[in-house]
Amino acid sequence: MKRKIYYDLINWKNEGMKKPLMIIGARQVGKTYIIEEFCKNEFKNYISINLLHHPEIKELYSQSISANEKFIRMCAILDINPNLENTIIFFDEIQESEELISALKWYCEVDIPFKIICAGSLLGVKLKRFHSSFPVGKVEMIHMYPMDFEEFLYAHNTGEYMVNYIQECFENNKPMDNIIHEKLNNLYRKYLCIGGMPEIVKNFIDKGSNILNIDRKPINNIIDSYLNDMNRYVKNKNEATKNESIYKSIPVQIGNKSNKFQYSKIDKNARKRDYESSIDWLLSSNLIFKCCKLDAIKIPPEAYKNNDYFKLYMGDVGILNTMLKINENEIYLDKPFIYKGEIAENYVSNQLIYNNVSVYYWTTSSNSEIDFIIYNEDGIIPIEVKASNNTQSKSLKSYMNRFKPKYAIRISTKNFGFENGVKSVPLYAAFLIK
């Protein structure tokens, strides 16, 4: 399946691959698949070394010998010609060896024909809790996420045509043909049901994209693997338990009327200091995303975010709906139900964050709230999310009167358009917001 990160890998190659490349992302988002595709397609010689399958390489890099000696011995162990041109080595599950991660500095600085790319499960957590000397400035990093809605469309036969049409309407604020608009709204609701995990998307496409044929078992298996991972790279068993407690609470937390994460939803006696480490673990694993409140609408917004007042979103909307145990028909048939708006909000947060957009939100004591605030070349832009075509909003009108942004964005099931300073964007086109 087509993944947009492939273009980032090509850019790395075209820029000379001076630094080893590290791909960071949650388990099952497709890191190994896309790296293998890239290595096979773009290099004459491709060597894959999974440290879980090669404990002898992990043991080698733990020895107190020079990085050059480790490289020579590794080539001998694996029967690799160290002078082979047009060769790339893929170190998978590299988090298993801090010493190998530290050795990436040597791979960056020496003149050998090999190029290095690496990835691993919970690599973000491992790097956050690194004990060795991390090669700062010697490694290029790219974050990888589940498939966004654009990639979901590419998985269908008419994907590229649809994406081009959506982009044209988005850029020109031109209403889309109503029949196609409704077709895309239906596809959006299917995406809500299954999410963007590649294995799940492929299974769905292979079964004819029939919503009645959704197999929840693979999604539940992924959730189970995430829960099992929460015992790794932790300070103690207590932290692992807290990791799981927070993760399981998020589907309920997104419905908080207080517009913020509440520790009391985990335990009535819970305190911030008791759970900070676990929230940091989950954020580093890319299983969840954080959106902080802004204390002021000023540039740069990053300087005015309130780290104590925040929301947490699930990293994949399909996993969210599976954990909420919502029947697919409720979503696909667009029925009214509790959490409908919150699910749409989580979906939009995913599409923005997959685009590497920094997201914030804004609220007042009078319960006026803007779902997302972004900062781009047009300044600070408010984004409101609606799960349906009911787009009335006192909060957005109040915000615009007070702060007078260049324009606002309203994301809903309505067609494209621009009226009274508000850019209307269908939910299926959220992936185009940069």
Side-chain angles (χ1 to χ4, degrees), residues 129-245:
R129 302 184 174 191
F130 211 63
H131 298 105
S132 305
S133 175
F134 184 77
V136 178
K138 303 296 182 180
V139 179
E140 188 170 338
M141 296 184 184
I142 299 177
H143 284 266
M144 185 174 183
Y145 303 101
M147 298 171 72
D148 67 2
F149 189 72
E150 178 181 0
E151 292 171 319
F152 178 72
L153 288 177
Y154 283 136
H156 292 76
N157 292 332
T158 58
E160 190 162 348
Y161 165 76
M162 283 292 192
V163 169
N164 291 337
Y165 187 22
I166 295 169
Q167 188 162 3
E168 178 189 348
C169 294
F170 177 86
E171 292 174 353
N172 299 302
N173 299 313
K174 182 182 75 172
M176 178 174 283
D177 175 86
N178 283 329
I179 294 176
I180 300 177
H181 173 68
E182 287 308 313
K183 178 180 179 180
L184 286 165
N185 273 331
N186 286 335
L187 283 171
Y188 151 73
R189 287 189 283 269
K190 288 183 178 181
Y191 179 90
L192 287 188
C193 293
I194 67 169
M197 290 302 192
E199 178 188 357
I200 315 304
V201 174
K202 185 178 186 305
N203 180 281
F204 178 66
I205 300 297
D206 288 347
K207 292 185 177 181
S209 301
N210 188 332
I211 206 72
L212 298 177
N213 291 333
I214 291 179
D215 183 0
R216 288 282 167 193
K217 186 175 180 181
I219 303 181
N220 283 309
N221 288 342
I222 291 174
I223 295 171
D224 289 342
S225 71
Y226 286 167
L227 295 175
N228 289 334
D229 281 344
M230 290 174 194
N231 290 284
R232 303 180 66 192
Y233 312 127
V234 292
K235 297 174 182 177
N236 50 54
K237 183 66 177 177
N238 188 38
E239 184 184 32
T241 301
K242 291 177 180 178
N243 290 349
E244 184 172 337
S245 297

Side-chain angles (χ1 to χ4, degrees), residues 293-301 304-305 360-364 370 372-374 379-382 399 402-405:
K293 175 189 171 185
L294 289 180
D295 286 334
I297 304 299
K298 296 180 180 179
I299 295 173
Y304 298 93
K305 72 177 184 180
Y360 315 90
Y361 73 104
W362 179 80
T363 186
T364 67
I370 300 299
F372 298 106
I373 302 288
I374 64 171
I380 297 177
I381 304 298
Y399 179 97
R402 180 175 176 180
F403 297 109
K404 297 181 171 39

